[in-house]
Amino acid sequence: MTRRAVGWPLLVQAGLVLGGYAAVRPMTGYRAIELQAGNTGIGLLAASFSVLPLLLAYPVGRQADRFGPARLMVVGVVLFTGAGVLAMLAGSLPVLLVASALLGLGQLVSVVGQQATVAVSGTANLDRGFGLLTAAGAVGQAVGPLLAAGAASVPGVGPSPAAVGLAVGTAICAASALCLRPLLRAAPRSRAPAPRSSWRVAAGMVGVPGMAATLVAGGVVLAALDLLSVFLPAWADERGVPVAAVGGLLALRAVVTLLARLVVDRVVARAGRRLTMVASIAVAGLGLLVLPLVQLPGAAVIMLLLGIGLGVAQPLAMSWVADAARPGTRGAAMGLRLTANRLAQTALPVAVGAFSAGAAGVFWAVGALLALSAGALLRMPPDRTRPPAPPAKGL
């Protein structure tokens, strides 16, 4: 599979799928409100997105190795589109919960396929490939909700605002099917059968030196992003910072993350992957440790640090896991990484929220975890990447 064949089609497909997902997820909450769901029902709805991805991420990755990541992306788009239609038509909360769970599964299947495509593409520069992939996803996640919210705000269109927003998000994801034909053409004709014991393969991956530390660090990084979004308003409220400024801080972090991902391969070419990962996570940890001590101007500087640190760490964790996995198991490696991410995103907010006092305690706890993760990564084996190829068309 050539870089030219999987380049722009893959990036556009990733942006559309994640854009559709980012648009649909909040709209399911509005749909639950229209169905008279209470706080408990909305909480169940939020959890339903993650249940199937947590349980099935690794098995789905194994299927990418068996049948090819492009075929997996086809399944993901079909699942997502069907679930989006079901959410629009849902007349009760139980039906909406089923639709929500299937939406999460469809997004998972698509994302595993996208990441596995980069992992097996044969590109000599995995850092560039994953950097561009995550950057494309970030663009989609920024644009998708704006389109859905804008359409839902138009009076008199559709049966309800939530249904209109769901329709827009579903259509965005469905449009990604137009990008699948060149990816299917580039896919290998045949696949070797998967080994008998999937979990034996997983145990072997975790046993690779540095793999466990990388999986944990990647999960902590994503949990840190979630917790930043949730607890930054509490930090702002304690200091009288207006809501618009909070939105500006989060937008600043997102823009810096996007820019950092576009150049991450150049940094790795000079400093090496291990040092870049350690430095980025350490910078993010330092930023969260300092955040409770500053006011609004200082927070803007902290967002620059977090944008670089958290933004760079994610694609590098992907490329390290893919590079460490044996040929024929890279889809499984991506699934294993996503399982670790979902587990961290589920467990860490509960643990940190239960044992930390206020927003400051949360930021200090997560900052300390990031610092510990950076320290653990120092024990990783030396970089095993091939010399990065010069930027080329596609990935």
Side-chain angles (χ1 to χ4, degrees):
M1 146 179 338
T2 64
R3 285 179 289 173
R4 185 182 294 247
V6 302
W8 284 109
L10 176 64
L11 298 180
V12 174
Q13 207 269 344
L16 290 173
V17 168
L18 291 179
Y21 182 72
V24 162
R25 186 162 185 179
M27 287 300 160
T28 58
Y30 285 112
R31 183 64 182 142
I33 293 172
E34 291 175 354
L35 294 173
Q36 309 296 317
N39 288 338
T40 301
I42 295 175
L44 289 172
L45 184 69
S48 65
F49 277 99
S50 301
V51 172
L52 293 179
L54 177 61
L55 297 175
L56 299 178
Y58 177 69
V60 166
R62 295 294 288 144
Q63 299 313 306
D65 292 323
R66 293 189 67 184
F67 302 109
R71 295 173 180 86
L72 214 61
M73 285 186 274
V74 173
V75 174
V77 171
V78 171
L79 267 175
F80 191 104
T81 303
V85 173
L86 181 62
M88 280 187 286
L89 301 177
S92 64
L93 182 61
V95 175
L96 186 61
L97 289 174
V98 171
S100 173
L102 292 176
L103 283 166
L105 180 61
Q107 188 257 1
L108 166 77
V109 172
S110 295
V111 167
V112 171
Q114 292 157 7
Q115 295 180 8
T117 298
V118 177
V120 304
S121 63
T123 175
N125 195 339
L126 289 173
D127 300 304
R128 176 176 173 79
F130 283 115
L132 291 175
L133 182 69
T134 52
V139 172
Q141 288 173 315
V143 175
L146 294 177
L147 294 176
S153 301
V154 178
V157 177
S160 71
V164 172
L166 286 167
V168 170
T170 302
I172 292 173
C173 180
S176 72
L178 299 174
C179 304
L180 293 175
R181 188 173 180 182
L183 297 173
L184 287 168
R185 282 181 175 176
R189 294 283 180 183
S190 61
R191 290 274 165 181
R196 220 177 263 176
S197 174
S198 291
W199 297 110
R200 184 178 300 174
V201 174
M205 288 181 187
V206 174
V208 173
M211 179 70 80
T214 304
L215 293 175
V216 171
V220 174
V221 165
L222 285 181
L225 283 170
D226 290 345
L227 288 166
L228 177 66
S229 299
V230 171
F231 283 95
L232 191 63
W235 169 92
D237 185 64
E238 293 171 358
R239 291 159 177 76
V241 175
V243 175
V246 174
L249 289 173
L250 292 174
L252 175 62
R253 197 280 308 162
V255 169
V256 174
T257 288
L258 175 61
L259 296 176
R261 288 173 176 173
L262 293 175
V263 299
V264 62
D265 62 306
R266 300 180 185 178
V267 178
V268 171
R270 288 169 173 78
R273 184 185 292 160
R274 178 174 58 175
L275 179 59
T276 305
M277 283 183 66
V278 171
S280 64
I281 294 176
V283 164
L286 177 64
L288 287 177
L289 289 171
V290 175
L291 182 57
L293 308 177
V294 301
Q295 299 297 320
L296 181 58
V301 177
I302 297 299
M303 291 303 122
L304 294 176
L305 296 178
L306 293 177
I308 295 170
L310 298 178
V312 167
Q314 186 181 8
L316 290 186
M318 292 180 187
S319 57
W320 197 94
V321 170
D323 192 62
R326 294 179 179 178
T329 65
R330 286 176 175 164
M334 295 296 101
L336 186 63
R337 194 193 70 84
L338 287 169
T339 299
N341 288 349
R342 291 293 185 270
L343 189 58
Q345 288 176 294
T346 302
L348 276 185
V350 175
V352 169
F355 295 103
S356 302
V362 169
F363 292 141
W364 283 332
V366 179
L369 287 173
L370 286 169
L372 290 173
S373 298
L377 290 175
L378 285 172
R379 303 178 62 183
M380 289 170 57
D383 291 342
R384 45 189 292 164
T385 56
R386 291 163 284 176
K393 292 183 179 180
L395 295 179

